[in-house]
Amino acid sequence: DGIEAREEGFNAAWAEAATAGWDTPYEVSPGDFSIYWWPSMDTDTAGNLHMVYMDPLWLDVFYTSNQGGSWSPPISVIGNDLYGMCPDIFVDDWNNVHVAYMTSDMIGDTIHAVSRWGNAWGPVQNVSGADDDCWLPSLVRESGPGPVNSELHVAYAYDDGASISIQHNQTTGGVWNAASNTASGADDDCDYPSLDIDGADGLHLAYEYWDGGGDANIQYNNMPYGGA
């Protein structure tokens, strides 16, 4: 879901793949005395780049893009949330930007998301329902139903106190469902979900699973369009 940029030092850096090989990396995040982690990047239909990354000192999530030909000044996207961590970005087929991240509701860690519809950022929303110990969101949006009716989907790790599963939630009619469903079946020690969506709006999920015997495996699951 998007193109992952890598850390260079402790700042987000970008390198372009030219015909002859990789170009020289250069710094995207601002400041000489700064620490930035967890970059996530995607492209829009015009080839513009959109990036989010986190500031681990202030626990904030910043967004920037190169739509104007150079990287824009970063802006915080977490609204009034206490903090934001581990962001993921997805740009849909109509160039709307969607960002999910881990935060807190004062009870536990939840997943929140915010979208830029056109040029205006919408409100921050809770996308993990009643799940209260969540992390590492991965976010996508459908394309087939059109710019208004296409739904958003998120996957994240969730610890219910007895096991750690990968949960899936989505919007219905543009509103996030109050309850998630389990996407990892009986696997009970899961982490690091990666969610993708195909041209038919089918969902594809990969995640890490510790099988109880000391082995960490990569698991795959899928759900066709219209599933629940």
Side-chain angles (χ1 to χ4, degrees), residues 9 21 32 49 51 61 68 83 94 99-100 123 134 147 149 166 169 175 188 194 202:
D32 294 327
L49 301 165
M51 184 190 295
V61 172
Y83 65 82
W94 303 276
V99 179
C134 313
N149 297 319
I166 303 301
N169 201 10
V175 178
D188 59 0
S194 179

Side-chain angles (χ1 to χ4, degrees), residues 96-121:
N96 302 302
V97 176
H98 310 280
V99 179
Y101 56 91
M102 168 185 163
T103 187
S104 174
D105 62 359
M106 301 299 291
I107 299 173
D109 295 321
T110 60
I111 305 301
H112 284 188
V114 62
S115 296
R116 192 188 74 178
W117 304 100
N119 294 316
W121 288 94

Side-chain angles (χ1 to χ4, degrees), residues 53-62 76-79 83-85 87:
Y53 53 86
M54 67 171 283
D55 179 340
L57 299 180
W58 295 98
L59 297 180
D60 206 344
V61 172
F62 291 101
S76 172
V77 297
I78 68 172
Y83 65 82
M85 298 175 63

